[in-house]
Amino acid sequence: MTEIFESAGQALLYGVVGLAVMAVGFGALDLVTPGKLFHVVWRDRNRGAAVLLGSQSVAVGLVIMSAIRASESEEGLGYGLFSTLLYGLAGVLVMTLVGIVIGLLTPGQMGAVALDDGDDHRPHPAAWVQAGMYLGTAAMVGAALS
């Protein structure tokens, strides 16, 4: 029974680290998209922004999952939490940099184009491209951790 409580405590700690990394990811995405992301998604109901935020959240979760798996070592819980935090932040940094580079290579400002739902309120195709880029980047970072 003690092992169950210990494992639950560890899961909680890894969850807190994952939440912190997701919050940093949210902030990074907010920096590269026009407007305040929280308002754009929840108040303005922008579908393109929701596609980006949702895909980035899944991508960060995948990086965190890989980081937790990679942190399983004999170094102890503290080491595992710290390495998960660093790997997660590295994943957010790589996703943000790839997003910026893609934005420089495409017409218009990528963040602004991806948030253009148009008159039909459908996400711009660029939102789906950027969403795929986040998921692809997460796969690359996750593979690098294994």
Side-chain angles (χ1 to χ4, degrees), residues 14 17 67-68 71-73 75-85:
Y14 277 107
V17 169
I68 291 170
S71 74
E72 292 178 14
S73 69
E75 300 289 330
L77 178 62
Y79 176 86
L81 292 169
F82 184 67
S83 65
T84 298
L85 176 67

Side-chain angles (χ1 to χ4, degrees), residues 8-83:
Q10 290 176 358
L12 180 64
L13 292 173
Y14 277 107
V16 168
V17 169
L19 179 63
V21 174
M22 284 192 158
V24 171
F26 181 93
L29 185 58
D30 193 30
L31 287 175
V32 297
T33 54
K36 285 299 195 190
L37 190 56
F38 186 85
H39 295 296
V40 173
V41 172
W42 278 272
R43 189 190 65 208
D44 300 342
R45 301 169 58 103
N46 184 287
R47 288 168 176 81
V51 167
L52 294 182
L53 181 57
S55 65
Q56 192 225 30
S57 297
V58 170
V60 170
L62 292 170
V63 170
I64 293 297
M65 180 182 70
S66 296
I68 291 170
R69 285 191 174 144
S71 74
E72 292 178 14
S73 69
E74 297 179 17
E75 300 289 330
L77 178 62
Y79 176 86
L81 292 169
F82 184 67
S83 65

Side-chain angles (χ1 to χ4, degrees), residues 74-101:
E74 297 179 17
E75 300 289 330
L77 178 62
Y79 176 86
L81 292 169
F82 184 67
S83 65
T84 298
L85 176 67
L86 287 181
Y87 293 149
L89 293 175
V92 168
L93 178 62
V94 171
M95 279 184 250
T96 304
L97 291 174
V98 168
I100 290 170
V101 169

Side-chain angles (χ1 to χ4, degrees), residues 120-134:
D120 58 1
H121 301 291
R122 292 174 37 199
H124 191 283
W128 297 104
V129 170
Q130 194 164 350
M133 177 267 314
Y134 284 137

